[in-house]
Amino acid sequence: MTVTDEEELAAAFEAQRSYLHAIAFRLLGSHADADDAVQEAWLRLVRNGADGIGELRGWLTTVTVRICLDALRKHGVRREQPLELEVGMLPREAVWGSGTDPEEEVLLAESVGLALYVVMDALTPAERVAFVLHDVFEVPFDGVAAILGRSTAATKMLASRARGRLRTRVAAADAAGREVVDAFFEAVGKGDVARLLTMLAPDVELRAQTPGGAVTIRGARNIAGQATLFRNADARMHPALVDGAPGAVITFGGRPATVVAFTIVDGLITVIGSMTDPARLGQVVPAWVE
């Protein structure tokens, strides 16, 4: 392979890198692991060369997904990390209903496309691949089947089973604390410190990721006072499931300003996680926001 050939191959690969990383991240749940998978795909491309590859994007997708599958099967499915807010959110509106309505299926797919990696540990590796590739990235079932080495019918069944498991998992987690979260934001909107104190555990912690770094505030009274200071009539609260925990996305003018997640024990909020870093929130484009 000449230098020119190597440069052309590298340029063609770089044009696909973000797409491959997006797939790997949704499958593995870690940017670092996704980077490793994409890098391995590049090394395999270099070893193989471009000869015999009819469609580079499809070839790289297959190779990257199979690398991810090997990782999932070798190390087991990664457990979600509650309150690690960088991994995204899934609006609760995406999971209600029987799942037979095509519009519900589209909404679920779009939401998980934004969610990146939410409650995906409920799925087997094969279910995860079928769901992510077809429902999020719109890869035809026959293409997914070829990657998985299964029939098209079996692959469709994997994706269907994945949708059902995700709905069940998300609905259960959401229902566990949604009333408390809704009441919390209602009290914040009214500036009702007394009511907030009835919802917060005495030793509650607020763990905030801000542009200036991590900030921790402890104590119910301190957090209740801080919460009411930031009420704003122009803010909109969108219920969301954040890494398996009930939470919300706060928007201004349709753009996300804060992502919040709650840990609730025996009806009391024990931990509040929030992210307000614009650089990271700028990567979140919730199509479900009106």
Side-chain angles (χ1 to χ4, degrees):
M1 185 183 295
T2 66
V3 173
T4 301
D5 290 338
E6 290 180 355
E7 290 176 347
E8 290 179 351
L9 190 63
F13 178 82
E14 287 302 319
Q16 303 299 327
R17 181 182 289 275
S18 61
Y19 167 76
L20 298 174
H21 182 92
I23 290 176
F25 180 38
R26 284 159 173 80
L27 292 175
L28 299 175
S30 160
H31 285 297
D33 291 345
D35 285 338
D36 290 344
V38 173
Q39 183 63 21
E40 176 61 25
W42 161 246
L43 294 176
R44 293 187 187 185
L45 176 62
V46 171
R47 290 195 294 267
N48 181 85
D51 294 341
I53 297 178
E55 201 273 306
L56 183 62
R57 186 184 183 97
W59 188 91
L60 286 170
T61 298
T62 298
V63 170
T64 301
V65 170
R66 288 178 175 169
I67 291 169
C68 293
L69 267 174
D70 288 343
L72 290 170
R73 289 166 176 164
K74 181 178 180 180
H75 300 295
V77 176
R78 181 181 303 274
R79 306 295 295 180
E80 70 231 21
Q81 300 296 317
L83 302 181
E84 293 292 332
L85 297 177
E86 66 268 25
V87 302
M89 65 245 177
L90 181 63
R92 64 172 174 171
E93 289 85 349
V95 298
W96 301 137
S98 63
T100 58
D101 186 340
E103 292 185 2
E104 291 181 7
E105 301 292 350
V106 171
L107 183 55
L108 178 61
E110 290 178 349
S111 300
V112 174
L114 298 169
L116 306 183
Y117 185 78
V118 178
V119 298
M120 295 288 279
D121 66 319
L123 309 182
T124 67
E127 287 171 347
R128 186 182 302 206
V129 167
F131 179 79
V132 168
L133 288 186
H134 179 268
D135 289 42
V136 179
F137 290 93
E138 299 181 342
V139 177
F141 273 124
D142 56 353
V144 182
I147 293 173
L148 288 173
R150 306 199 182 197
S151 69
T152 299
T155 303
K156 289 180 179 179
M157 183 62 67
L158 286 171
S160 177
R161 194 158 59 222
R163 295 183 201 108
R165 289 188 178 184
L166 285 175
R167 283 195 183 86
T168 299
R169 185 66 177 275
V170 171
D174 193 44
R178 180 51 53 189
E179 290 185 6
V180 175
V181 173
D182 289 346
F184 175 87
F185 282 107
E186 181 180 353
V188 168
K190 295 179 178 179
D192 191 342
V193 173
R195 187 180 180 195
L196 285 172
L197 290 174
T198 68
M199 305 176 201
L200 299 171
D203 57 350
V204 61
E205 288 190 357
L206 170 62
R207 303 168 186 170
Q209 299 171 8
T210 73
V215 176
T216 300
I217 300 174
R218 296 180 175 86
R221 190 163 294 279
N222 290 335
I223 292 174
Q226 287 285 328
T228 56
L229 285 176
F230 294 100
R231 55 186 177 142
N232 189 311
D234 295 326
R236 293 190 61 189
M237 189 275 286
H238 304 270
L241 189 70
V242 184
D243 297 348
V249 181
I250 310 301
T251 64
F252 290 91
R255 301 299 300 175
T258 306
V259 178
V260 188
F262 298 82
T263 299
I264 299 169
V265 179
D266 296 330
L268 292 178
I269 298 170
T270 59
V271 179
I272 303 173
S274 73
M275 181 176 70
T276 57
D277 186 347
R280 296 169 71 182
L281 285 170
Q283 299 173 10
V284 179
V285 185
W288 43 272
V289 174
E290 295 177 358

